[in-house]
Amino acid sequence: MPHSLFRYIAAIEHHQQSGKTDITISCCTTADFSYSDDEVDVIRKETEYDFADGVQIKYVIEYDDVAIDDNVCPECWINYQVMVDPFDTIKPSKKSFYNRCQQQFWLKTMMMASSDNHHD
């Protein structure tokens, strides 16, 4: 049975799953690849999350370190990619977002859809 990448992203984002969750993060490592480009600091961090079920997900976030308006969701690049999938069951194998607001909306939508599908 395929597993949704959503479940792993939700675990990474520390969201509570509706119902039982069987996904446990066993460890994670972060590397900082930040740099300066034309006097703008670009923050780039890559984190690899190892899950108890053997799955490994790489999370990458990149954004400009500039002052932003509180009323605007700042643009950034967020990417999740399945690096290790021992049973080849996670679909999709990657997911990208162009800001945190888009990611949060997607997570909320997926959680609602997930709870709608479990009428136990």
Side-chain angles (χ1 to χ4, degrees):
M1 178 172 167
H3 287 109
S4 173
L5 179 57
F6 156 72
R7 295 171 65 219
Y8 294 90
I9 293 174
I12 289 170
E13 288 297 310
H14 306 291
H15 285 275
Q16 290 295 325
Q17 299 286 325
S18 56
K20 297 179 293 225
T21 180
D22 57 353
I23 302 176
T24 303
I25 297 172
S26 52
C27 75
C28 66
T29 55
T30 300
D32 189 337
F33 295 99
S34 300
Y35 59 94
S36 290
D37 184 20
D38 289 332
E39 298 184 24
V40 173
D41 290 332
V42 178
I43 309 302
R44 179 184 171 93
K45 296 194 178 185
E46 295 182 10
T47 304
E48 289 186 359
Y49 290 90
D50 295 322
F51 291 84
D53 62 1
V55 170
Q56 184 182 73
I57 306 287
K58 181 192 270 187
Y59 164 76
V60 179
I61 185 165
E62 184 173 318
Y63 57 93
D64 295 345
D65 190 20
V66 294
I68 54 162
D69 183 340
D70 289 340
N71 297 321
V72 176
C73 195
E75 185 176 63
C76 66
W77 181 73
I78 301 168
N79 186 51
Y80 296 89
Q81 182 168 356
V82 177
M83 303 304 288
V84 177
D85 181 1
F87 306 107
D88 195 29
T89 58
I90 300 172
K91 304 293 180 226
S93 62
K94 59 185 167 184
K95 183 74 180 162
S96 296
F97 304 97
Y98 55 82
N99 64 35
R100 287 198 178 274
C101 298
Q102 182 196 30
Q103 175 182 289
Q104 294 307 317
F105 179 79
W106 180 80
L107 283 167
K108 185 177 178 181
T109 303
M110 292 298 290
M111 277 201 259
M112 289 181 352
S114 174
S115 65
D116 288 347
N117 291 335
H118 299 294
H119 297 294
D120 297 340

